[in-house]
Amino acid sequence: MDVSVLVYDGVFDSGLSAVLDVLEAANAMRGELPQPPPAWNVTTIGFSRQVRTGAGHLVTAEPASAAGTDGLLLVPALAERRPDALLERVAGPDMADTRKLITGHRGRGESLASACTGTFLLAESGVLAGRRATTTWWLAPVFRRRYQDVALDESSMVITSRGVTTAGAAFGHVDLALAVVRTVSPALADLVARYLVVDERPSQSAYAIPSALAQSDPLVAAFERWARQHLDTPDSLAAAARDLGVSERTLQRTVRRVLNTTPVRFVQDLRVEQATHLLRTTDLSLETIARRVGYEHAATLRALLRDRTGTTTAGLRGR
């Protein structure tokens, strides 16, 4: 498979390196399989001979015209954490050639892949319209608000939808590159993951910080503060709406629009976050912790923790 890795000024250093390292490792280890797959032909391309990464390093690139006509175009993330600056950059004139390359590549029916903030570039180019996609979990509210024609699923680590593969936050580039390898050889992808000591991470849910997500909307942020003050009491959407001066319907609709979840599930996330913190930092019994986060029975909390974190309470205490 031909893989063209696009570099541009401000590209995320670790994302670029992760992609190149995983693909290089796959090429180096393919001979260890009884029936090795063909090697990957990886070319770093750009619109100038040298680009400066987000950390200030210089990367040499082949001309963008060197991108394969029947291969994969992989777009690493942009090293920008600020939502407003990110949107301004991906939609700005200095990225026009990049957007045109992405659109043209997909217009010819060729495969695309990106991770983290790079998915904003794909969405801005229009190639994610009508597709399922994922992005970095903490920018999901911003992404969902701007690209309403994309079926965003920020819980997943990697999603492939009709020739376009997207992956989650920052080091989701590793998962993205392994997914590229897995399309040709699952056995080789597993081998590379073992050599690089990469655990399987099917979901971003365990990494999401509810309070960070809530800050993208004033009403949701206020609801988050209210919920934290009432974690030890039973759910009462009516009381929350009354104290915040809005109707229940408005609160429900706003939480759904911003976070793509319900108020009840968001409060559960806050309870899981607090319970996990108490398990890791105190010797309190599970029964006591359950009461502190609003559950009468420890079994209810135990089941919720397993569902949301994928591990047991004993496993959480041991971390």
Side-chain angles (χ1 to χ4, degrees), residues 223-235 266-275 278 289-295:
F223 177 56
E224 184 246 346
R225 291 191 296 270
W226 184 95
R228 287 190 183 279
Q229 295 168 359
H230 298 82
L231 278 186
D232 59 344
T233 60
D235 294 331
F266 179 60
V267 172
Q268 287 177 339
D269 290 340
L270 297 176
R271 286 175 168 152
V272 166
E273 180 186 67
Q274 180 64 9
L278 292 173
I289 293 174
R291 289 192 294 272
R292 287 196 178 189
V293 297
Y295 295 110

Side-chain angles (χ1 to χ4, degrees), residues 38-171:
W40 279 265
N41 179 30
V42 182
T43 305
T44 302
I45 64 169
F47 291 99
S48 58
R49 182 62 179 166
Q50 283 192 327
V51 302
R52 189 171 296 277
T53 69
H57 300 291
L58 293 177
V59 175
T60 301
E62 297 295 325
S65 58
T69 57
D70 59 353
L72 170 70
L73 176 63
L74 197 153
V75 184
L78 175 68
E80 179 56 73
R81 294 176 53 87
R82 298 166 298 170
D84 290 345
L86 172 62
L87 293 177
E88 182 179 358
R89 180 76 193 282
V90 299
D94 62 327
M95 301 297 278
D97 287 339
T98 297
R99 297 192 301 271
K100 184 178 179 180
L101 177 67
I102 292 169
T103 303
H105 197 83
R106 187 57 203 155
R108 295 188 296 272
E110 299 158 31
S111 299
L112 286 168
S114 189
C116 194
T117 55
T119 59
F120 280 73
L121 262 173
L122 266 57
E124 194 68 32
S125 302
V127 300
L128 293 182
R131 285 179 166 83
R132 290 184 64 240
T134 191
T135 190
T136 176
W137 63 263
W138 57 273
L139 286 172
V142 179
F143 188 102
R144 183 174 291 107
R145 184 165 59 245
R146 184 172 182 88
Y147 308 112
Q148 298 181 20
D149 54 356
V150 181
L152 184 66
D153 180 2
E154 67 269 32
S155 67
S156 297
M157 190 62 75
V158 179
I159 289 177
T160 299
S161 179
R162 306 200 321 270
V164 182
T165 301
T166 51
F171 291 101

